[in-house]
Amino acid sequence: QGPEHSSARVERFLNLAANNNMQILNCTTPANIFHALRRQMHRNFRVPLVVFTPKSLLRHPKVMSDISELTSGGFREVIDDEQTDKLNVSRVVFCTGKVYYDLLERKESLGVRDIALVRIEQMHPFPHKQVQAIVKKYKSAKLHLWVQEEPENMGAWRYIREEFTEVRLVPVARTASGSPATGLKVLHALGQKEIVDKVFRKCDCDLKNNY
């Protein structure tokens, strides 16, 4: 299985997305996928719906939803972090998809509450109002990051960079590459660890100075 097998090439779909011509989602909970599909069927208009669903989340122990989350509520375009001290948050981390669970595992192991992990569940149309509300909520934040596991020239980063105008966003990703995968599991794991390490690094200046 070559590199192409390991990537759905989200950047290609986002390059084609404009003027609300399609919906591009990367959901992290069963309930949100359910409500996205339900919304698609009940709306009085229909545009293509693209949902990225990595196989690893099908068996991830934390990817679960209560029955109540399916029987009530609706699709959430952005999911905020409830495990924070709102007034003391110094770093807001925006991401989409399964990388969230790698970040969550590290956050829980460290027991930190001054870093907020915010999930962008719908990339297009971009949820500007929800993102603006998140930025305003964390007034003490000194650093805003976009985290993805794809190389910097792939994935959602370039699209997010154009759409995200609320604050300066610093990317945390693999270095630009001509291939979406290393081909070696060990190297992939090392790259993933490096991404997570950067997010939780205590010194903000290293990230700021790199961009």
Side-chain angles (χ1 to χ4, degrees):
Q1 296 173 345
E4 292 293 332
H5 178 80
S6 65
S7 175
R9 308 315 294 258
V10 61
E11 67 275 8
R12 295 178 180 174
F13 287 91
L14 291 173
N15 282 340
L16 297 172
N19 302 321
N20 302 337
N21 65 332
M22 65 177 80
Q23 303 161 94
I24 300 179
L25 316 181
N26 196 350
C27 300
T28 57
T29 70
N32 225 24
I33 290 180
F34 170 77
H35 286 298
L37 297 175
R38 187 173 183 275
R39 181 183 71 169
Q40 178 77 353
M41 296 306 298
H42 281 274
R43 276 178 164 173
N44 58 4
F45 63 90
R46 192 67 51 83
V47 294
L49 172 65
V50 181
V51 184
F52 292 92
T53 52
K55 290 184 290 184
S56 64
L57 295 192
L58 293 174
R59 55 185 179 272
H60 197 292
K62 286 192 174 292
V63 184
M64 300 178 67
S65 298
D66 293 333
I67 293 296
S68 61
E69 295 178 82
L70 282 81
T71 57
S72 62
F75 176 68
R76 301 167 69 185
E77 297 176 352
V78 177
I79 300 180
D80 194 7
D81 191 343
E82 302 299 329
Q83 305 301 318
T84 62
D85 296 326
K86 182 177 69 173
L87 298 178
N88 297 318
V89 167
S90 60
R91 191 173 307 189
V92 182
V93 179
F94 292 91
C95 63
T96 188
K98 74 184 186 70
V99 72
Y100 163 75
Y101 289 100
D102 294 326
L103 299 171
L104 178 63
E105 182 180 3
R106 179 67 63 83
K107 179 180 177 179
E108 290 180 341
S109 69
L110 295 174
V112 298
R113 294 182 61 86
D114 62 341
I115 296 178
L117 304 179
V118 181
R119 288 167 273 176
I120 306 294
E121 301 278 291
Q122 176 175 291
M123 289 176 280
H124 188 86
F126 191 75
H128 286 283
K129 290 183 179 179
Q130 293 90 326
V131 169
Q132 288 170 2
I134 294 291
V135 171
K136 290 180 180 178
K137 175 182 176 180
Y138 299 116
K139 297 180 180 179
S140 61
K142 300 176 182 178
L143 187 63
H144 298 80
L145 306 177
W146 171 260
V147 179
Q148 65 178 36
E149 55 185 334
E150 298 93 344
E152 193 172 322
N153 60 319
M154 302 180 194
W157 163 238
R158 291 182 176 177
Y159 168 83
I160 294 294
R161 182 178 60 189
E162 297 298 321
E163 292 288 337
F164 200 112
T165 57
E166 286 71 24
V167 290
R168 178 173 176 261
L169 206 58
V170 177
V172 178
R174 285 176 168 80
T175 56
S177 171
S179 170
T182 63
L184 292 173
K185 186 177 181 179
V186 173
L187 289 180
H188 172 80
L190 287 173
Q192 199 76 356
K193 181 179 182 299
E194 183 180 355
I195 289 171
V196 176
D197 287 345
K198 284 182 179 180
V199 172
F200 290 92
R201 187 176 296 164
K202 290 185 178 180
C203 181
D204 297 344
C205 58
D206 293 340
L207 287 169
K208 287 182 178 179
N209 292 338
N210 285 338
Y211 297 94

